[in-house]
Amino acid sequence: MDFRKRGRKAGQSLLRKLKRIAFHAGLNCGECKTVVTKGRYETKYKANVTCKDDPVCEDFYLHRFRKTCATRWHEAGIPMRNIQVWLAHKSLETTQIYLGLTDSSKLRGDIDRAFGD
């Protein structure tokens, strides 16, 4: 099996687990609607479901972990070029999109030092 296909299948499995954990923790929004396959073998069928009753909420996705990790690395002072390589981005602009804003209260000391206060 191709490495990329294996990675995709592993990612799909992790996503299903993440959505199940969020569902059991009561974190779903209750508004997402989708069609899923239910049943096994000959009894498979398509069903319309909502995230109120099934672990299918669109608010939870694995890419959020990449963004969080990149932001935390950046806040820890790791150079952006290193983060770019670790995330396997071709351009620095793509990496910059991943970096969230740091809470200004965390930056207060740096801001004050920059202005000599």
Side-chain angles (χ1 to χ4, degrees):
M1 179 182 283
D2 184 350
F3 174 73
R4 287 177 299 222
K5 287 181 183 176
R6 241 189 353 246
R8 237 187 335 262
K9 283 187 176 188
Q12 290 168 350
S13 174
L14 283 173
L15 180 59
R16 282 193 302 272
K17 288 177 184 178
L18 171 67
K19 289 183 185 247
R20 256 194 327 270
I21 290 167
F23 176 73
H24 289 297
L27 300 174
N28 286 4
C29 70
E31 297 175 11
C32 301
K33 296 177 183 174
T34 190
V35 176
V36 297
T37 302
K38 292 195 168 207
R40 300 178 96 184
Y41 310 112
E42 295 87 28
T43 61
K44 281 188 177 184
Y45 63 96
K46 300 276 185 187
N48 292 319
V49 297
T50 68
C51 70
K52 186 186 290 184
D53 303 316
D54 282 283
V56 295
C57 189
E58 295 298 320
D59 287 347
F60 300 97
Y61 49 96
L62 292 173
H63 225 69
R64 172 73 68 200
F65 292 108
R66 272 176 70 90
K67 292 181 177 190
T68 300
C69 191
T71 300
R72 289 187 177 174
W73 283 334
H74 185 63
E75 288 175 352
I78 294 174
M80 202 175 307
R81 289 285 185 189
N82 287 61
I83 298 171
Q84 175 189 357
V85 170
W86 295 343
L87 295 178
H89 290 156
K90 290 182 181 177
S91 71
L92 190 57
E93 290 80 22
T94 303
T95 303
Q96 289 173 324
I97 292 168
Y98 268 65
L99 304 177
L101 293 175
T102 302
D103 182 17
S104 352
S105 62
K106 291 180 183 177
L107 298 174
R108 178 57 49 205
D110 294 334
I111 293 168
D112 291 343
R113 275 191 299 284
F115 290 98
D117 291 346

